[in-house]
Amino acid sequence: PVTVDLKKPYLLHKLESEPPMTAEVTRDELLGYYSLMFRMRRMEISADTLYKAKHVKGFCHLYDGQEAICVGMEAGATWGDSVITSYRDHAWQLSRGDTVTGVLCELLGKQGGCAKGKGGSMHMYKADANFYGGNGIVGSQAPLGAGIAFAHKFAGDGCCSFALYGDGAANQGQLFEALNMAALLQLPLVYVCENNQYGMGTSKKRSSANDDYYTRGGYVPGIKCDGMNVLSVRECTKFLKKHAVEVGPIVVEFDTYRYHGH
């Protein structure tokens, strides 16, 4: 293994410790991360081509540019940990064990997809790997993620729930209601804000009075991490899971950028 220095520092809110600023990684791990991110990128570019050719019905929200978050989180967590996300979900379906063929089948309305082609882009789902979608309503995954965290606490399985949302959903009231309940119950919940700088076409500066999303849990600790570095995300995710399971909910903001429009 080699030791890699992580360049961008973490920013902390109500935390006295932080993830390490170095990461040990092997050649095989690096090749695995690169291979999976590359497959995600090519899959999303192919989905974009199919969508523009009008072969994909309904919506098609792409993840290209944000792959390091998904792959880094998977490297720092396990499939025992639950994931629930927004409609930008193709890469998560792949990372949780589906195939490129399976994802594209769902996009194209074919029977080989996870919902037999009836769900489409926004409704990927893989219950056997604790992936709970793919949710078409902005911010709806926030309270559902808290419910999943409650299930983990009830089961006492030592796992946590990762509920992901974008900066565009960060002003949703249901997020703060669920966070309050999670704090009261000390649920093993990680709220993950994938800050790709724009909600649809609106800059975060024009939509959020406070765009330091990691601080917006108020009474809940938070951390900001470089979302474009897979190793930073991996080390941060290990830290987040440990905190969620041992202490309670935490908010993370992964600073990232998407390469396609909404």
Side-chain angles (χ1 to χ4, degrees):
V2 295
T3 300
V4 179
D5 291 327
L6 306 175
K7 302 298 183 186
K8 288 192 178 180
Y10 304 102
L11 300 180
L12 307 179
H13 171 68
K14 294 181 73 68
L15 285 170
E16 295 181 357
S17 59
E18 66 177 25
M21 285 300 297
T22 60
E24 277 200 1
V25 64
T26 66
R27 179 178 183 273
D28 288 344
E29 284 174 334
L30 286 172
L31 285 172
Y33 302 156
Y34 176 77
S35 174
L36 182 53
M37 287 191 289
F38 185 82
R39 272 191 294 145
M40 289 173 176
R41 178 67 58 87
R42 296 311 306 165
M43 179 181 74
E44 293 293 67
I45 297 301
S46 297
D48 183 56
T49 302
L50 290 166
Y51 180 72
K52 287 173 178 171
K54 295 183 168 50
H55 295 303
V56 175
K57 309 303 180 188
F59 294 99
C60 186
H61 302 94
L62 303 176
Y63 202 71
D64 51 323
Q66 301 180 206
E67 298 92 346
I69 296 176
C70 177
V71 174
M73 285 182 64
E74 291 286 33
T78 72
W79 281 7
D81 300 306
S82 299
V83 173
I84 186 166
T85 187
S86 67
Y87 39 69
R88 207 177 299 280
D89 57 356
H90 308 161
W92 280 100
Q93 183 74 9
L94 185 65
S95 76
R96 284 275 151 157
D98 206 340
T99 62
V100 172
T101 301
V103 172
L104 294 180
C105 278
E106 189 60 37
L107 288 176
L108 295 169
K110 306 298 182 185
Q111 191 174 11
C114 61
K116 296 184 168 36
K118 296 176 181 178
S121 171
M122 299 196 291
H123 299 100
M124 302 290 170
Y125 186 78
K126 207 167 189 306
D128 61 353
N130 287 316
F131 177 55
Y132 296 100
N135 292 270
I137 304 300
V138 174
S140 64
Q141 66 274 26
L144 294 173
I148 296 167
F150 182 84
H152 281 301
K153 181 160 187 170
F154 192 80
D157 57 15
C159 295
C160 71
S161 169
F162 293 96
L164 295 90
Y165 57 95
D167 51 289
N171 300 314
Q172 285 275 317
Q174 55 190 326
L175 171 63
F176 297 95
E177 293 180 55
L179 190 57
N180 178 61
M181 288 189 283
L184 286 171
L185 297 171
Q186 295 181 300
L187 299 182
L189 172 65
V190 181
Y191 270 139
V192 181
C193 179
E194 296 182 285
N195 179 9
N196 60 25
Q197 317 305 319
Y198 291 89
M200 296 189 73
T202 303
S203 163
K204 64 182 183 181
K205 291 289 186 187
R206 292 174 57 216
S207 64
S208 297
N210 174 9
D211 59 7
D212 290 326
Y213 297 106
Y214 70 102
T215 69
R216 290 182 52 180
Y219 43 82
V220 173
I223 184 169
K224 185 175 183 177
C225 172
D226 180 9
M228 303 301 275
N229 185 328
V230 69
L231 296 179
S232 291
V233 175
R234 185 190 75 176
E235 296 307 309
C236 189
T237 301
K238 293 175 183 176
F239 177 88
L240 294 165
K241 178 180 177 178
K242 186 173 188 296
H243 184 282
V245 171
E246 295 179 1
V247 180
I250 187 170
V251 176
V252 62
E253 176 186 345
F254 286 126
D255 201 28
T256 185
Y257 193 77
R258 56 177 159 83
Y259 295 153
H260 267 97
H262 180 69

